[in-house]
Amino acid sequence: MKAKSTPTHVHLETFGCQMNEYDSELVRSLLKQDGFVFTDERERADVILMNTCAIRENAHNKVYKHLSELKKLKRQRPLVVGVLGCMAQNLKEELTDIQPLVDVLAGPDAYRQLPMLIRSAMLSQVEGLNQKELAVDLSEYETYHDIVPDRNDGVNAWIAVMRGCDNFCSFCVVPYTRGRERSRVPEGIVQEARRIAEQGFKQITLLGQNVNSYRFGDWDFARLITAVADVPGIERVRFTSPHPKDFPLSLLEAVVSHPNICKQIHLPLQSGSDRILSLMNRTYTNKEYRALVDRIRTLRADIVLSTDLICGFCGESDAEFAETYRLVEEIRFHSAFIFKYSERKNTIAARKLSDDVSEPVKTDRVTRLFDLQRNISYERNREYLETTIPVLVEGDAKRSAAQGMGKSDGNITVIWDKCAISSQPGDMVSLAIYDASSTTLYAARPPVN
Ligand code: 5AD
Ligand code: SF4
């Protein structure tokens, strides 16, 4: 057993959405408070934690692959392996049965118990019992409102304002893995935003599985985002992921009237067919969605819209897919995340519908929609040519440290040569766009008049 004074080293890997990134910041904070030390190296760790995602099959497979890589490490030395987040919650039986190497399972509402669970698992290993430590109960109240996340340095800070989801879209596992909706006290959120501004972050992204259904007493999301945008020093406020059903005029007006709320809305569509939308339990029709887009664009023509689309949902015919294709052609989103439907355990679709669109047909539909969207994104991005736009600098480009990278107000990636433009992360710079691809804007120093 380790001497009491030797700290326990934890390595934490995060998969999935921004909410998981945020939850990992909470986990780091909770464990550091308890004396644990974090390491970037798996090889040095006494404890390896994976904060997992269960939303689609490939996310799930990725976690399994990483877990099986740990088998070898675990044979070499004492090691506690923990699975956190959505997969822990949803697959508690399966994971513990087929993955004997998992010692700790903690669902998204159980992170406060993690220090205790890890210590028990370590002790049990020393005693040769190798008992599994499970905490997977969902809570109606847990919002971690009093935990200050251990944020990475950077330009953007996330604040989760609500957790869980009550929508039960028939394809989605989130209501089962993350439980019922609950919102955080607004005063605490605004206070956190002030602290974030004081720490030098320039952007806040408000997070929630269904962020715009935020409600606390007489506070709704429009009032909350306005209060956050009013905090001095915050240059940009974003939010994700909203549901189209919760966009009252007050929220649209808040977005368009506040200069520092980004003119960008992610508006998950999923399908353009009314029959499929109804089977998905999305609660809006093609026409209602279209009307919302028109309302948004009437208020602000240059707003950047993005979406999520699912191809090959249960029973989707060629004609129904064609309706999605047509609507995407008509609306001309700036960008879209396009997914093949993948059946998730326990969901309404898994229980009541049949995953009957063949794999090749799903692939064909995803490819066709992807090609369409790539052309639209290309044309949309080329609308920025010869304009000068404000860019929030984030750091180096992924591909080359000789290039800088930042984001436009609409969240489009902008890249430039660092030898031509010098800037620091967090700077807001005005850049001239001289070229554009479907994913990236290329910038130069603006011409001097
Ligand atoms: N299959 C495919 N895509 C899914 N999504 C959620 N569940 C599934 C599923 N079972 C997509 C939706 C959602 C995004 C976060 O992930 O498009 O908006
Ligand atoms: Fe899933 Fe629908 Fe809730 Fe989004 S709104 S998390 S897709 S159930």
Side-chain angles (χ1 to χ4, degrees):
M1 193 171 161
K2 274 174 159 295
K4 238 188 172 165
S5 56
T6 317
T8 302
H9 285 82
V10 181
H11 176 74
L12 172 61
E13 296 178 21
T14 308
F15 299 82
C17 63
Q18 287 112 326
M19 197 66 166
N20 266 13
E21 295 284 346
Y22 181 82
D23 279 1
S24 286
E25 293 175 354
L26 292 176
V27 165
R28 274 208 305 268
S29 172
L30 282 160
L31 289 176
K32 279 185 178 175
Q33 270 175 33
D34 228 278
F36 291 85
V37 172
F38 279 77
T39 171
D40 290 336
E41 298 160 55
R42 267 186 185 180
E43 287 64 27
R44 285 200 60 208
D46 307 299
V47 178
I48 298 184
L49 302 177
M50 294 202 180
N51 191 3
T52 62
C53 169
I55 192 111
R56 287 174 299 274
E57 199 177 1
N58 53 359
H60 181 135
N61 291 344
K62 212 154 113 189
V63 173
Y64 270 106
K65 190 167 156 271
H66 277 246
L67 277 172
S68 58
E69 285 166 17
L70 297 185
K71 277 190 189 145
K72 213 166 98 197
L73 276 184
K74 200 159 173 171
R75 258 183 251 125
Q76 292 161 355
R77 61 188 164 87
L79 177 67
V80 164
V81 174
V83 171
L84 319 181
C86 289
M87 255 172 95
Q89 195 65 44
N90 196 40
L91 300 174
K92 39 194 183 248
E93 297 95 19
E94 190 181 329
L95 260 182
T96 43
D97 289 347
I98 59 173
Q99 298 288 351
L101 87 157
V102 177
D103 306 294
V104 172
L105 276 178
D109 290 340
Y111 297 145
R112 287 181 201 267
Q113 296 172 56
L114 257 182
M116 182 269 291
L117 296 171
I118 293 173
R119 292 218 165 88
S120 304
M122 290 175 84
L123 200 65
S124 147
Q125 245 175 36
V126 171
E127 288 169 353
L129 298 172
N130 297 326
Q131 206 169 296
K132 293 195 189 302
E133 303 296 330
L134 258 78
V136 286
D137 288 342
L138 289 171
S139 154
E140 283 174 41
Y141 310 103
E142 182 61 272
T143 60
Y144 301 106
H145 67 280
D146 55 331
I147 308 297
V148 179
D150 182 49
R151 296 193 162 89
N152 291 323
D153 288 338
V155 173
N156 175 73
W158 288 301
I159 308 180
V161 300
M162 56 84 67
R163 297 175 73 88
C165 180
D166 289 349
N167 287 333
F168 289 91
C169 297
S170 64
F171 52 79
C172 186
V173 79
V174 167
Y176 307 91
T177 60
R178 286 188 169 266
R180 298 289 61 76
E181 281 178 12
R182 60 224 105 118
S183 294
R184 263 182 71 178
V185 186
E187 289 80 7
I189 297 170
V190 177
Q191 211 171 21
E192 192 170 337
R194 280 202 206 99
R195 200 169 43 229
I196 285 168
E198 280 160 20
Q199 287 169 342
F201 289 96
K202 296 292 188 259
Q203 175 176 291
I204 288 179
T205 305
L206 301 179
L207 288 181
Q209 259 77 40
N210 194 9
V211 70
N212 52 338
S213 77
Y214 175 89
R215 184 155 280 282
F216 197 98
D218 54 2
W219 284 69
D220 64 1
F221 189 63
R223 184 167 172 201
L224 181 73
I225 196 168
T226 304
V228 170
D230 285 342
V231 169
I234 294 300
E235 299 199 28
R236 284 183 174 174
V237 180
R238 300 188 191 277
F239 58 100
T240 198
S241 191
H243 190 293
K245 76 176 172 57
D246 291 316
F247 271 102
L249 196 59
S250 56
L251 176 54
L252 297 179
E253 277 170 353
V255 173
V256 296
S257 66
H258 278 74
N260 63 343
I261 300 183
C262 292
K263 307 299 168 259
Q264 172 231 341
I265 298 180
H266 185 64
L267 206 58
L269 166 64
Q270 316 298 2
S271 169
S273 148
D274 284 346
R275 193 185 76 90
I276 297 294
L277 284 170
S278 160
L279 281 178
M280 286 176 163
N281 197 22
R282 287 295 288 179
T283 70
Y284 52 83
T285 61
N286 172 314
K287 207 166 148 202
E288 285 163 348
Y289 184 93
R290 182 74 240 222
L292 175 59
V293 169
D294 290 345
R295 212 173 309 136
I296 295 172
R297 286 183 172 158
T298 307
L299 285 171
R300 182 82 194 210
D302 65 347
I303 201 137
V304 170
L305 294 181
S306 55
T307 198
D308 291 342
L309 298 158
I310 297 179
C311 295
F313 185 65
C314 309
E316 184 188 68
S317 68
D318 282 339
E320 286 162 341
F321 169 70
E323 288 182 77
T324 305
Y325 192 95
R326 259 199 312 279
L327 192 57
V328 170
E329 247 176 342
E330 236 176 84
I331 292 180
R332 296 173 59 74
F333 297 102
H334 278 76
S335 61
F337 296 101
I338 302 169
F339 308 108
K340 255 186 223 180
Y341 171 60
S342 72
E343 188 176 89
R344 310 313 293 136
K345 238 183 175 173
N346 301 329
T347 55
I348 299 166
R351 282 182 276 129
K352 300 199 170 151
L353 303 170
S354 159
D355 180 13
D356 53 3
V357 176
S358 73
E359 197 54 29
V361 170
K362 283 182 186 171
T363 305
D364 176 62
R365 289 179 188 169
V366 166
T367 310
R368 277 157 56 199
L369 211 47
F370 185 81
D371 288 347
L372 169 68
Q373 183 56 50
R374 193 181 39 211
N375 287 335
I376 297 171
S377 296
Y378 178 76
E379 287 166 11
R380 282 277 188 205
N381 283 353
R382 296 195 73 85
E383 289 166 10
Y384 292 95
L385 294 187
E386 290 167 35
T387 65
T388 295
I389 59 168
V391 175
L392 183 58
V393 178
E394 290 194 356
D396 290 347
K398 273 197 196 120
R399 285 205 194 140
S400 159
Q403 289 181 316
M405 190 278 285
K407 289 283 165 75
S408 72
D409 182 279
N411 211 24
I412 305 172
T413 301
V414 184
I415 279 177
W416 59 91
D417 282 335
K418 283 195 332 202
C419 59
I421 296 161
S422 74
S423 60
Q424 295 297 319
D427 287 352
M428 188 72 87
V429 289
S430 249
L431 297 180
I433 306 302
Y434 70 88
D435 199 3
S437 70
S438 60
T439 56
T440 310
L441 304 177
Y442 297 92
R445 194 189 287 281
V448 183
N449 292 321

